[in-house]
Amino acid sequence: MRTITPLQIQNETAGSAPETLRICEATKTFGTGPVALDKVSFSLETGEFTVLLGPSGSGKSTLLRAAVGLVRLTSGTIEVSPKEATPSGKRRPTAIGMVHQDGSLSDRLTAAQNVLSAMVPQMGWWRVLFQAYPKPLQDKACRLLERVGLTEEQANRPVRELSGGQRQRVGIARALMNDPTLILADEPVASLDPATARKVMLLLRETARELGATVLCSLHQTELACEFADRIVVLKQGQLIFDGAGAGVSPRSLAGLFDHDSAGRPLDLVGG
Amino acid sequence: MQSGSVSPEIAHSSPQNWALRPIFNARTVGLVILALLFLSYSAHRMQLDDLFGRLAGMAVNAASSGSSDAAEASADSVFERMFPLAIAERTPIDRIADFDPDALPLFAHLETVPDEVSTLDPDTLQMTTQTAEKTVLVEPVGYLFLVIRKIVETLEIALWASLIAVIMSLPLAWLSARNYSPHWVFYAAARSGVSFLRAVPELISALFLVLAFGFGPIAGILALALHSAGFLGKFYAEDIEAADKRPQEAMRAMGAGSFATLRLAVLPQVLPSYAALTLYVLDRNVRMATVIGLVGAGGIGQELKGRFDMFQYDRVGTILLVIFITVLLLDQLAARIRKKLL
Ligand SMILES: Nc1ncnc2c1ncn2[C@@H]1O[C@H](COP(=O)(O)OP(=O)(O)O)[C@@H](O)[C@H]1O
Ligand SMILES: [Mg+2]
């Protein structure tokens, strides 16, 4: 393994700003497999755009999923201020918006219906059954869809008929629907071409900024991480190996952190 | 994935030395031979070899136009006696209660036909045959109409059976889908219930239901509905289990409950498949509804059985033709609906 000289691992930032997500010794082992998360600790600061960087299989999804209760931690806690979300994994505050990789939208529902589905925890069963959302919510969904760059015609199309980039825009609109103070994004641009990926990342950062929301966004592309992150946290094989400001970090030096796997073969041969 | 899982020998041996899996080996050959042996044994038990012999015999007979044996003769004559098909209905007017010659049904007319009545003379103990006049009401397409009415009744049986089956199987599917069942007790109960329903053939349950509800469509509807509910319950549940997990997880992550998740992330996915399954069940129920009439559970089958038992093969022929045309038309309709949905 390479040694990391130009970058140093920072300790937890002792900032005065209120935290929105505090991860404390998060550990996860799936069955008898290797550890997916190994005592990961860090906290987010309000309004910051933090990128969770790491190669495939480094535990990014596991960490984000644990934060919304989709995965139960083996040990450790993830606190979403002010309420606790895990390890009991029961209820999470609704003020988290999550953007997933492609495929997380309901294919046959329209873009607008997908965005509105974020409101179902607050809806009665008959409204859910008939997808009869109150008019103010419908207006809000339309505003959001317009904000992320969709037309009225596209808003009424089943999302399977939209392009990959448009689908991710719908996903962002869905995540923004319940006015989140914290947005978690799990490789939101993994399935997109580089140009579209940049646009979608830009949109994510801008919309989050408009809301004043804190963002934790996982990525595997070092260039995007350097371009968009206020702060970068690097995971490798479940361990936090770097935590530092996004400014002043070069993609090359970041890539050096996880360019080689344990067998010593270049990553690009293995594929993602 | 870690590249370390690829073992170095395989990764570095030259392609000429690679051993690819053969398409079949000694084991497959052995299994095929065993299967063939079983089939030939079973064919003997089912008298299939006998069937081939008889088919060959019939071909020889037909070629030499010689006399055929009794069984074949009767089958031939049944087929011959189907034609001409019975389309009209002729009813002697003295058998119609409150007959009013001034108010005949549409297109009907009266005919006077000679009627031979044989009576036994009690004194001489001789049969005497007298020829009398008899008036019959002739409805030119009367029997065809009756058959069509019966077909409509059959379709109604199938429709209601399918509707009840869908309504029954939706909750069954929810309880027997592993990832949505509220508790394993419900899961186990629903799974075995569904298997049981599917395991009982319609004809058998119709026999019992006719005992409970009497002759008529109710027994037929219930018999078909129970079996179809077993079928749909199983396949609806499997569709739920196989549905793409990613939209469901997204809903869960937003804090949606299982009802909302089922409605918004599962139902839209499985709906086309549900529609196809339901159409298949409807299609099958139409065919089965004609069959269960044979045990008295209403519909065209009941008419068919009655006429068959009375040796009225011309009417049997009409019934078979109408069934055939109906099934054909429904097939076309189902194909169109399916095309629209998928
Ligand atoms: N549901 C699961 N069951 C078993 N192992 C899992 C599961 N989810 C993830 N893993 C394992 O945990 C590790 C981290 O996976 P993941 O968090 O998806 O990584 P990333 O999102 O960074 O690609 C991987 O080794 C993966 O195989
Ligand atoms: Mg991942």
Side-chain angles (χ1 to χ4, degrees):
Chain A
M1 207 207 263
R2 267 205 210 169
T3 45
I4 317 147
T5 34
L7 308 165
Q8 56 184 29
I9 296 175
Q10 296 182 349
N11 284 327
E12 269 195 27
T13 14
S16 54
E19 293 153 347
T20 47
L21 188 74
R22 186 210 290 271
I23 300 164
C24 191
E25 306 250 301
T27 302
K28 176 68 189 176
T29 325
F30 288 102
T32 54
V35 278
L37 286 177
D38 192 1
K39 293 197 173 152
V40 174
S41 300
F42 66 93
S43 302
L44 298 182
E45 283 180 45
T46 309
E48 253 187 9
F49 193 105
T50 304
V51 166
L52 182 62
L53 190 66
S56 250
S58 55
K60 306 183 295 293
S61 298
T62 306
L63 186 64
L64 291 171
R65 289 156 58 83
V68 290
L70 288 175
V71 163
R72 197 174 285 205
L73 290 177
T74 311
S75 66
T77 55
I78 300 181
E79 267 172 45
V80 181
S81 72
K83 288 188 221 165
E84 173 144 326
T86 50
S88 55
K90 277 285 167 252
R91 211 85 193 119
R92 37 157 242 100
T94 50
I96 298 183
M98 187 145 184
V99 187
H100 305 256
Q101 235 169 292
D102 197 17
S104 78
L105 298 168
S106 249
D107 255 5
R108 287 168 187 270
L109 299 187
T110 65
Q113 285 169 336
N114 267 290
V115 174
L116 281 161
S117 72
M119 300 313 292
V120 297
Q122 286 99 280
M123 298 283 121
W125 67 268
W126 69 270
R127 280 192 183 276
V128 174
L129 183 61
F130 297 106
Q131 298 191 70
Y133 301 98
K135 186 80 174 99
L137 289 183
Q138 294 185 26
D139 292 344
K140 184 176 176 189
C142 292
R143 276 202 309 279
L144 282 171
L145 281 167
E146 197 209 3
R147 174 67 190 87
V148 299
L150 265 74
T151 64
E152 183 181 359
E153 191 265 332
Q154 288 160 345
N156 285 305
R157 243 196 263 165
V159 290
R160 64 181 173 146
E161 294 171 16
L162 299 177
S163 72
Q166 287 164 343
R167 280 205 294 273
Q168 285 314 91
R169 289 165 188 276
V170 175
I172 290 175
R174 178 172 70 176
L176 298 175
M177 187 65 197
N178 56 5
D179 297 316
T181 52
L182 174 64
I183 297 174
L184 303 178
D186 189 10
E187 305 215 35
V189 297
S191 58
L192 305 179
D193 61 272
T196 315
R198 264 202 81 241
K199 284 186 203 151
V200 170
M201 284 300 293
L202 210 60
L203 178 72
L204 179 63
R205 188 173 66 180
E206 278 177 8
T207 48
R209 205 168 272 169
E210 286 161 22
L211 269 176
T214 310
V215 181
L216 178 61
C217 172
S218 78
L219 289 175
H220 65 260
Q221 303 98 322
T222 48
E223 296 80 12
L224 285 176
C226 291
E227 183 173 354
F228 289 97
D230 295 325
R231 174 180 172 201
I232 297 178
V233 177
V234 180
L235 275 186
K236 184 177 173 181
Q237 290 173 356
Q239 288 176 331
L240 194 149
I241 58 164
F242 173 81
D243 182 349
V249 176
S250 74
R252 189 174 285 272
S253 57
L254 274 176
L257 289 175
F258 60 84
D259 228 7
H260 294 74
D261 71 4
S262 50
R265 288 183 55 185
L267 254 187
D268 54 5
L269 263 185
V270 184
Chain B
M1 274 273 90
Q2 299 277 315
S3 66
S5 61
V6 179
S7 70
E9 311 95 288
I10 292 176
H12 297 129
S13 69
S14 78
Q16 288 95 313
N17 301 332
W18 289 3
L20 295 182
R21 260 177 64 146
I23 291 165
F24 57 85
N25 53 21
R27 220 184 88 158
T28 359
V29 172
L31 282 176
V32 168
I33 290 174
L34 272 181
L36 286 176
L37 283 177
F38 168 76
L39 283 178
S40 66
Y41 167 71
S42 168
H44 182 66
R45 274 168 47 90
M46 297 288 113
Q47 298 166 349
L48 283 177
D49 39 4
D50 193 31
L51 168 73
F52 294 134
R54 279 166 66 174
L55 285 177
M58 277 162 77
V60 169
N61 277 339
S64 61
S65 68
S67 63
S68 46
D69 70 55
E72 282 147 33
S74 85
D76 275 357
S77 79
V78 164
F79 189 65
E80 271 162 23
R81 282 161 67 188
M82 279 188 185
F83 298 98
L85 297 174
I87 304 294
E89 184 72 273
R90 305 165 74 90
T91 330
I93 57 171
D94 47 5
R95 285 218 227 133
I96 304 174
D98 303 326
F99 180 69
D100 179 1
D102 297 326
L104 296 179
L106 209 59
F107 303 124
H109 62 270
L110 292 174
E111 255 176 37
T112 316
V113 292
D115 185 28
E116 289 192 347
V117 184
S118 299
T119 45
L120 183 69
D121 190 326
D123 298 333
T124 61
L125 290 179
Q126 297 258 303
M127 290 291 280
T128 52
T129 307
Q130 290 164 330
T131 309
E133 296 273 283
K134 189 173 79 170
T135 311
V136 293
L137 175 72
V138 180
E139 293 167 89
V141 285
Y143 190 63
L144 187 63
F145 270 177
L146 177 82
V147 171
I148 289 175
R149 266 208 307 281
K150 286 285 177 189
I151 274 282
V152 171
E153 186 184 309
T154 310
L155 293 180
E156 284 174 303
I157 291 176
L159 187 73
W160 278 105
S162 308
L163 193 65
I164 294 173
V166 169
I167 293 171
M168 277 176 69
S169 56
L170 284 176
L172 278 176
W174 166 57
L175 291 175
S176 56
R178 194 175 290 115
N179 46 350
Y180 281 93
S181 194
H183 195 269
W184 69 267
V185 172
F186 290 109
Y187 170 77
R191 272 277 145 140
S192 30
V194 160
S195 302
F196 176 75
L197 288 177
R198 209 171 51 251
V200 181
E202 290 99 331
L203 214 52
I204 309 289
S205 53
L207 274 174
F208 288 97
L209 288 164
V210 165
L211 288 184
F213 294 94
F215 292 109
I218 292 185
I221 290 175
L222 287 181
L224 292 179
L226 291 178
H227 186 83
S228 310
F231 175 85
L232 288 179
K234 174 186 159 76
F235 287 101
Y236 282 178
E238 284 182 0
D239 278 345
I240 294 178
E241 285 174 1
D244 189 349
K245 296 285 179 299
R246 294 171 300 175
Q248 301 173 48
E249 291 195 331
M251 294 293 295
R252 282 272 148 83
M254 295 186 299
S258 65
F259 172 72
T261 309
L262 268 174
R263 170 66 189 85
L264 296 172
V266 177
L267 189 66
Q269 273 190 65
V270 298
L271 211 52
S273 161
Y274 277 23
L277 284 170
T278 309
L279 270 179
Y280 169 76
V281 157
L282 187 63
D283 186 80
R284 184 170 182 281
N285 277 345
V286 170
R287 284 176 283 120
M288 283 313 294
T290 63
V291 174
I292 55 163
L294 298 181
V295 297
I300 192 79
Q302 211 166 334
E303 174 77 10
L304 177 68
K305 174 89 159 71
R307 299 302 177 177
F308 202 91
D309 288 349
M310 290 190 283
F311 308 112
Q312 294 174 339
Y313 296 118
D314 52 347
R315 304 199 170 209
V316 170
T318 309
I319 294 170
L320 291 182
L321 187 71
V322 172
I323 291 178
F324 176 68
I325 292 175
T326 309
V327 169
L328 214 66
L329 287 178
L330 283 177
D331 236 30
Q332 297 292 316
L333 188 72
R336 273 190 200 189
I337 298 177
R338 210 165 279 146
K339 210 186 251 171
K340 276 225 172 107
L341 286 171
L342 297 183

